[in-house]
Amino acid sequence: MKTAIVTGAARGIGLATARKFLAEGWAVALLDIEDATQADCPKTTLALRCDVSDPASVEAAVAAVGQRFGRIDALVNNAGIAIFKPLLETSLEEWNRVLAVNLTGPFIMAQAVAPWMTQGGAMVNITSISGLRASTLRVAYGTSKAGLAHLTKQLAAELAGLGIRVNAVAPGPVNTAMAQAVHTPEIRADYHDAIPLNRYGLESELAEVIFFLCSDKASYVTGQVMAVDGGFEGTGIGLTTLRAARRNL
């Protein structure tokens, strides 16, 4: 049975992705700094506490996964944190912590997992639309995700010789619990105005793309950063006006 590791798997996109792998018949290790659930399929899941920015924690978690399942075929680097502050209010400690989790964490995980992928495998890094286009309040978060996009390409180049593919998914606005908590109605309306599909994405929609990139169906895809954002990254201004004009035709 193929085995996947999903970090940041206690909730949100990570948990949705873990459930997708389980539904497709994979074994899944759910790593999170908080407790993740094994309730879906206890025989084929392993929930472990892990701080991806701590090499010792990662080493112990990956060893436990290898001991339990005997193989690792996919790694989804989903764990991440966000601090939304203006540049002049972002402390060096906050900057360092965001980069430690969002950028150094995937580097540590990749180093630990790659030796287990003796039959080849796939890694998917969850970056963000904030790593592809700048915005206010995201000096640490956006920079960490932009770095992760390039790390994806670097890993793809270096690990291809081992039969390991590495890609990234850049979510746009997704209807996660965090988004529901921090996005005001005004912000949500702004996003709707700027997204061609005129809605937030679903966690399950992200999980589908992540699983595809880890599956054999994506066997010739590596080094790519795929925006899953309803068209947000690829468009400019004017959608609201164009929609209004279309309604008036």
Side-chain angles (χ1 to χ4, degrees):
M1 179 180 291
K2 287 188 174 183
T3 299
I5 292 178
V6 181
T7 70
R11 61 179 59 82
I13 294 170
L15 181 56
T17 300
R19 286 173 171 162
K20 174 62 179 177
F21 275 104
L22 288 168
E24 296 291 339
W26 290 48
V28 183
L30 299 90
L31 275 56
D32 203 286
I33 200 167
E34 300 177 2
D35 289 331
T37 180
Q38 297 185 70
D40 291 66
C41 256
K43 292 183 179 178
T44 55
T45 61
L46 177 63
L48 297 168
R49 280 203 171 198
C50 179
D51 179 350
V52 298
S53 69
D54 178 1
S57 180
V58 168
E59 182 180 357
V62 172
V65 176
Q67 183 177 13
R68 171 71 175 273
F69 298 116
R71 59 187 292 171
I72 301 172
D73 303 278
L75 167 64
V76 179
N77 280 314
N78 172 70
I81 60 172
I83 294 174
F84 298 136
K85 287 185 176 181
L87 166 66
L88 299 181
E89 296 177 16
T90 302
S91 69
L92 180 59
E93 181 181 8
E94 290 169 332
W95 167 273
N96 286 339
R97 181 58 183 163
V98 170
L99 265 69
V101 175
N102 294 2
L103 182 56
T104 304
F107 166 77
I108 296 171
M109 287 296 306
Q111 278 195 327
V113 169
W116 281 93
M117 293 183 168
T118 56
Q119 301 176 52
M123 300 181 184
V124 175
N125 296 322
I126 310 305
T127 140
S128 170
I129 207 68
S130 294
L132 301 178
R133 57 188 297 177
S135 177
T136 57
L137 309 180
R138 288 166 171 78
V139 62
Y141 181 75
T143 302
S144 71
K145 293 299 189 177
L148 184 56
H150 186 75
L151 177 62
T152 297
K153 296 177 183 293
Q154 193 68 42
L155 293 174
E158 296 206 17
L159 296 177
L162 300 177
I164 299 172
R165 299 180 297 102
V166 188
N167 293 288
V169 167
V174 179
N175 209 29
T176 61
M178 183 176 74
Q180 293 174 23
V182 303
H183 286 186
T184 65
E186 293 78 14
I187 289 175
R188 293 181 73 90
D190 286 345
Y191 273 124
H192 278 250
D193 287 344
I195 297 171
L197 291 185
N198 199 24
R199 66 176 176 86
Y200 277 45
L202 303 176
E203 295 165 352
S204 59
E205 291 176 310
L206 271 296
E208 292 286 347
V209 178
I210 294 164
F211 179 77
F212 165 74
L213 290 173
C214 291
S215 74
D216 292 338
K217 292 182 179 180
S219 58
Y220 199 52
V221 182
T222 195
Q224 303 304 304
V225 179
M226 183 177 296
V228 184
D229 63 354
F232 180 57
E233 191 270 336
T235 56
I237 62 172
L239 284 174
T240 306
T241 300
L242 289 171
R243 285 180 185 137
R246 189 163 58 243
R247 286 195 297 268
N248 292 329
L249 289 177

